[in-house]
Amino acid sequence: MADNRRWWALVVIALAQLMVVLDMTIVNIALPSAQAALHMSDGNRQWVITAYTLAFGGLLLLGGRVADLAGRRNTFMIGLLGFAAASALGGAAANSGMLFGARALQGVFAALLAPSALSLLATTFTDPKDRGKAFGIFGAIIGAGAAVGLLAGGFLTEYLDWRWCLYVNVPIALVAFAGALTLLQPGERHPDAHLDVPGALLGSAGMLSLVYGFSEAESRSWSDGLVLGLLGGGVVLLGAFGFWQTRARVPLLPMSVVKDRQRVGAFLTVLLVTIGMFGTFLFLTYYMQGVLGYSPVKTGVAYLPITVGMVIGSTQIAARLLNKVPPRVLIVPGLLIAAGALALIAQVGVEPAYASHILPGMLMLGLGMGTAMMTSLSLATGSVAPRDAGAASATFNTAQQVGGSIGTALLNTIAATVTARYLTAHAGPGVDARELAAKASVHGFNVATWWAMGALLLGALIAGVVVNAERAPTPQGGRGEQAPKSLEDVAT
């Protein structure tokens, strides 16, 4: 019975994680409709995505520590209810500011939910065979959830309204809440847990400064004083955060988590992977709807090959080989295949190129990303003492969300800047304005996609050099602690 409860608990945890991941991309399809309805500028539209990922990434470490203080099931359930309420608020947004605020609030509650979900998974499935299956499913959800969000967003936008891309989270969260209440055991609260408020402020402010600086570069230029000040200030604040973590009584990011070479390699790899992935999803959406004239539903269906590739990469390649080959043998080829996919996608033009470029590119991208992400996930949470599982889980999620924030802001800025320069260089009498606008947009998307490919190649290089484990590690106790064997043993 205990074993059955473990696998049903996985269903609950996976449903919550699917909602969190899905919400990072479901609004991509709805974004053109929301932009028109709420009168957003091209420069500000990316904040619909960035407000969510920035709040999520900036507060994840704090969320992991709150889980240690209040118990993981408690924070998991609070996160579900808060996420549902923020989603309802966003769906009812009357203007862009209200939507941005609701998306940021979603990120706040996701920062409570995600570390609890991943740490519950990591400490529940410790047997290598079961762990491979569980992490294969979880890895597929992380990867394919993004594409599923795009598909769901297409159907909801076309047949209902873009607002339902937010409303849909309410029933999902309530179902997951009921499952958590029934299946998850109350978590133990650590009396010595402490909220590192200075660390949270420094880390969040540093990330906000960096992402805001990247987004402002589009309208102000990279040499503008404010942009340089924001970027420089972000680096200084993050440096101060790192310094403080070595001296805080109970740091948000324990040094034991980042001293492990394999975990550092996994964190850096995920950071770079999501920089490239999030920007690519944004560009493909605008390319298919704005240039090729696809409907929201057709655009969502067009993303299905990524889902297929990610499921195969996670469950049929990485999960089967994880305990048989060195992790970098999976991560590096996976990222190289994904980089090759972006090289193919970056060559599209204004004429239809779905069958020749986008379809094979999506299949390759999904296959490579699914293999690399699932392996990195196992590395990031392996060989972690139960008391540090929340911090390790939060750091993995932070790398993912921060990469998404930076990638969306940076690549959107690059695309917009290149597009504007193309328009200026090619404008003139006798030039068809509509055709020129399409060519300029595609050129901007292509250049930004090449940059995204560069991020994946850098990730492959880092994984190849830093990750040197012979096999993916499994959780172990520390200081006499033993990893829990079943759901009933999950105490924190």
Side-chain angles (χ1 to χ4, degrees):
M1 181 62 181
D3 188 66
N4 289 335
R5 285 177 65 88
R6 275 197 309 149
W7 290 104
W8 277 111
L10 173 62
V11 173
V12 173
I13 294 169
L15 182 62
Q17 184 68 21
L18 175 63
M19 181 182 68
V20 170
V21 175
L22 180 147
D23 221 67
M24 290 185 284
T25 58
I26 193 171
V27 296
N28 271 277
I29 299 290
L31 194 50
S33 299
Q35 182 179 357
L38 301 181
H39 310 291
M40 288 180 248
S41 68
D42 287 347
N44 286 335
R45 71 189 179 196
Q46 53 96 7
W47 280 103
V48 175
I49 299 168
T50 303
Y52 175 73
T53 56
L54 179 59
F56 192 177
L59 296 174
L60 268 166
L61 291 173
L62 182 61
R65 186 56 68 194
V66 170
D68 291 334
L69 179 65
R72 288 175 193 153
R73 190 186 77 157
N74 291 339
T75 54
F76 184 79
M77 295 170 68
I78 292 170
L80 284 170
L81 292 180
F83 199 91
S87 298
L89 179 65
N95 52 59
S96 60
M98 186 174 173
L99 179 58
F100 297 159
R103 290 286 287 166
L105 196 58
Q106 281 184 306
V108 171
F109 286 104
L112 282 178
L113 177 61
S116 301
L118 184 53
S119 57
L120 281 170
L121 178 75
T123 54
T124 299
F125 293 92
T126 56
D127 177 78
K129 185 177 179 180
D130 286 348
R131 181 178 173 83
K133 292 178 181 178
F135 273 75
I137 294 170
F138 203 75
I141 288 170
I142 289 180
V148 170
L150 295 166
L151 177 62
F155 277 93
L156 291 171
T157 300
E158 183 157 334
Y159 293 115
L160 292 174
D161 185 80
W162 66 267
R163 297 178 184 275
W164 278 96
C165 292
L166 294 161
Y167 287 143
V168 72
N169 293 320
V170 177
I172 295 175
L174 293 179
V175 169
F177 180 87
L181 191 63
T182 304
L183 294 167
L184 300 183
Q185 296 298 312
E188 178 183 311
R189 301 181 183 185
H190 292 282
D192 60 342
H194 175 73
L195 294 182
D196 180 16
V197 176
L201 292 175
L202 287 170
S204 300
M207 287 313 310
L208 176 61
S209 183
L210 278 181
V211 175
Y212 188 49
F214 284 130
S215 65
E216 284 296 296
E218 181 212 345
S219 58
R220 294 176 176 270
S221 85
W222 292 98
S223 60
D224 180 80
L226 177 63
V227 172
L228 293 175
L230 287 168
L231 296 178
V235 172
V236 170
L237 286 168
L238 291 178
F241 168 77
F243 177 79
W244 172 254
Q245 293 307 286
T246 64
R247 284 159 174 74
R249 181 166 66 88
V250 183
L252 287 179
L253 182 60
M255 290 299 102
S256 60
V257 171
V258 293
K259 282 182 179 179
D260 182 87
R261 176 173 181 160
Q262 314 310 320
R263 281 197 290 273
V264 169
F267 296 150
L268 291 176
T269 299
V270 168
L271 175 72
L272 290 163
V273 164
T274 50
I275 284 177
M277 184 173 70
F278 275 69
T280 301
F281 281 158
L282 181 65
F283 302 145
L284 281 175
T285 297
Y286 272 88
Y287 172 75
M288 288 188 283
Q289 289 192 41
V291 178
L292 300 185
Y294 284 12
S295 67
V297 167
K298 189 174 182 179
T299 303
V301 172
Y303 274 108
L304 280 177
I306 288 183
T307 304
V308 173
M310 285 183 171
V311 169
I312 293 173
S314 294
T315 64
Q316 301 305 310
I317 298 178
R320 292 178 181 274
L321 298 178
L322 187 63
N323 298 312
K324 299 178 181 179
V325 300
R328 63 180 170 188
V329 172
L330 296 172
I331 297 176
V332 175
L335 293 186
L336 291 178
I337 290 172
L342 294 188
L344 185 62
I345 292 172
Q347 299 178 53
V348 299
V350 294
E351 63 283 347
Y354 183 82
S356 60
H357 290 73
I358 297 179
L359 174 60
M362 283 186 174
L363 285 170
M364 292 169 59
L365 185 62
L367 188 66
M369 297 289 285
T371 302
M373 287 292 285
M374 186 271 174
T375 308
S376 297
L377 175 63
S378 184
L379 271 182
T381 57
S383 67
V384 180
R387 66 180 180 277
D388 290 332
S393 303
T395 306
F396 177 87
N397 278 288
T398 298
Q400 188 180 18
Q401 300 312 316
V402 167
S405 297
I406 293 177
T408 301
L410 175 60
L411 296 177
N412 186 68
T413 296
I414 291 173
T417 302
V418 172
T419 297
R421 289 177 179 173
Y422 188 96
L423 286 171
T424 302
H426 294 82
V431 177
D432 185 281
R434 187 169 183 174
E435 182 181 351
L436 177 61
K439 288 182 177 180
S441 295
V442 171
H443 180 62
F445 296 161
N446 289 346
V447 171
T449 302
W450 285 115
W451 280 90
M453 185 196 76
L456 295 187
L457 290 176
L458 181 57
L461 177 63
I462 289 175
V465 173
V466 178
V467 177
N468 62 357
E470 289 300 314
R471 295 291 184 270
T474 55
Q476 298 176 0
R479 296 180 184 176
E481 299 175 72
Q482 295 297 319
K485 301 299 180 185
S486 69
L487 183 65
E488 286 74 8
D489 297 327
V490 178
T492 61

